Structures are given as C-alpha cells and as structure tokens.
Amino acid sequence: MYDKKIVPCVKVTNGKAVEGPLYCGGRGPSDPVGCAAAYARAGADEVLFLDVSARGDGVTDVVRRASAVLRVPVAAGCAGNPAELRELRRSGAERVVLGSAAVRNPGLIREAASIFGRGGVSVAICARRKGDGYWEVCTDGGLRDEKMDAYGWALAAEWLGAGELMLVSMERGGRVKPCDADFVKLIAPAVGVPVASVCGASESRALYGLLSEGGAASVVSSTLFRRSETSILSLKRLLSAAGTAGAETPEPLCAEA
C-alpha cells in the first residue's frame, strides 16, 4: 500500500505565484517560495510548482530557491523539453510532472526517467468522461480533445517510465473539477504505480474518500488548501482516524523563507 500524500500546488508564471494560501504572510501570496513554505508548515508532504505559462518562465529559479529552504520534496510541472528537465533537476526538483508535452512526444517520458529516475516522473492525464467507463484524453488545459483513450494512455505512460500518474477530471472550457472517483477507480487497479488525484475546489471528506476507498495514493490541489491553514492537517486526521497510512511529517518542516 502506498503512503497517502497531500500535495498543494503553487501555480507560477513569470516567477510569481498566481495564487497562494491566504495564511501565507511574510512577502505575501505572490511569492511562490513563501507560499510553499506556508504549505509545508501546515503539513504538506510535497509541494508542486506548476508553470501555467507552459514556457518555463521563471519556474527553474523558483525551484532553486525553494529547494534551498524547504524540507519537503519539491516537484515541478513544466513544458518538458529535455534542456528544461535537466535544468530543473540541477535546481533541486525531485519530481517532474509532464502533461500535454508527453502526449505529443511520448518519448519525453523515457527522457525524464533517465534524468530523474522512474520514481521522479509523474504523467498528468487530463480527461473527460465520454461514456460509461470511457475517458478521453485532452490537452492544452482541457481545450483540445485528443481522441485518445485515457485508460490506454495510462498503461502506455507507465510502460514508458512514469513512476506516478496524476489524474485530472476536466470540464468543457478547460476547468478542473473535483476528480471523478470513477476515473480513479478505473486507472488505479490497472497500473503498478501510485495514482494521484488532482482536485479542484472540494471538501476534505471528498478527498478523504478518494484516498481511503478510491485507490488514490495522493491528492493534489491548488484551491482547497489555500483557504485554511488547518485543511491539510484536518485531512490527515481523517485518514489517521480511519487507519489509512499517511506520509510521515518531519518537524520542523521548513526554514525561514
């Protein structure tokens, strides 16, 4: 059984956070490293910096600064060209998340695995339900349908070297919605790597259901955890009370950022 992880996501563009936790303090919610430090203090098991520009603008420097002060693993979602992957690894990223770029160039997964190791490669699978038990892959933030079976792509991504799959449920117009439990239950039993559920705004109990019964090994969110300093610990308490394994949280979690 995989450890259950809580992973807040900090969206970054041009080196600044698009949105951060309301309890960030210090330099404010536009400072991505300060945002990540606040999440770490609140009990996050890992922090993901997502380059929403998909151009790599400033995310490498953010990873470098964050890796120097955080005592939790740092992951980065990026455009994913080989040069950027190598630079992110040198900057201290322990995990890279590939999305649309991997759909267009599946060989990029092998390239990332050679740089980060299999355990350091996550492939984000954005999909929409198209029928009973059928999910279709979409790219470019949900704006482009790929006419591609998400189940088959999950198997292929694992075979190519992904050490984790991040499942994203999309609405029309490219909006992330709370991850569909049926999507997680379809993919998780079929693969031999951990599955993460990427969630839009949702309640802790909905995320608890995905972790405890839905087969997800972790939840990733840029919205839920920014509202309350206690939401991460509240979710962990729910898991602990149910006897579901959670990742250890070392103290202190981070240095001053």
Side-chain angles (χ1 to χ4, degrees), residues 49 51 56 58-64 67 74-98 115-116:
F49 292 104
D51 173 25
V59 72
T60 299
D61 181 62
V62 169
V63 167
R64 183 181 295 109
S67 298
V74 173
C78 61
N81 62 72
E84 184 185 6
L85 294 175
R86 288 189 289 271
E87 184 61 24
L88 284 170
R89 189 71 183 100
R90 286 192 293 267
S91 297
E94 296 186 32
R95 181 188 301 274
V96 67
V97 180
L98 303 173
I115 296 169
F116 285 85

Side-chain angles (χ1 to χ4, degrees), residues 20-232:
L22 302 181
Y23 50 88
C24 184
R27 282 166 283 183
S30 66
D31 173 42
V33 178
C35 293
Y39 283 135
R41 288 191 293 270
D45 299 301
E46 179 178 282
V47 176
L48 168 63
F49 292 104
L50 178 63
D51 173 25
V52 294
S53 72
R55 298 190 304 269
D57 295 341
V59 72
T60 299
D61 181 62
V62 169
V63 167
R64 183 181 295 109
R65 292 191 292 118
S67 298
V69 296
L70 297 186
R71 297 184 185 177
V72 296
V74 173
C78 61
N81 62 72
E84 184 185 6
L85 294 175
R86 288 189 289 271
E87 184 61 24
L88 284 170
R89 189 71 183 100
R90 286 192 293 267
S91 297
E94 296 186 32
R95 181 188 301 274
V96 67
V97 180
L98 303 173
S100 299
V103 174
R104 298 185 182 112
N105 176 17
L108 195 61
I109 300 174
R110 290 190 190 278
E111 182 85 31
S114 71
I115 296 169
F116 285 85
R118 184 186 185 98
V121 180
S122 297
V123 173
I125 301 178
C126 300
R128 269 190 289 270
R129 187 194 290 267
K130 290 289 187 175
D132 187 23
Y134 180 76
W135 294 76
E136 184 177 279
V137 173
C138 49
T139 56
D140 299 331
L143 298 177
R144 178 186 175 93
D145 292 333
E146 294 291 338
K147 310 300 181 186
M148 183 177 176
D149 176 20
Y151 181 89
W153 174 228
L155 298 180
E158 180 188 12
W159 181 78
L160 287 164
E164 179 186 69
L165 301 176
M166 282 189 181
L167 306 184
V168 190
S169 297
M170 304 297 295
E171 293 179 343
R172 289 288 178 187
R175 184 162 169 254
V176 177
K177 63 180 181 180
C179 196
D180 194 308
D182 289 342
F183 188 24
V184 178
K185 290 177 180 178
L186 173 69
I187 302 299
V191 296
V193 296
V195 167
S197 170
V198 179
C199 293
S202 186
E203 296 180 352
S204 291
R205 288 193 176 273
L207 302 185
Y208 160 75
L210 288 169
L211 288 168
S212 62
E213 300 174 1
S218 58
V219 291
V220 181
S221 180
S222 65
T223 52
L224 176 65
F225 303 129
R226 66 183 294 266
R227 296 175 189 159
S228 171
E229 191 171 357
T230 63
S231 61
I232 295 175

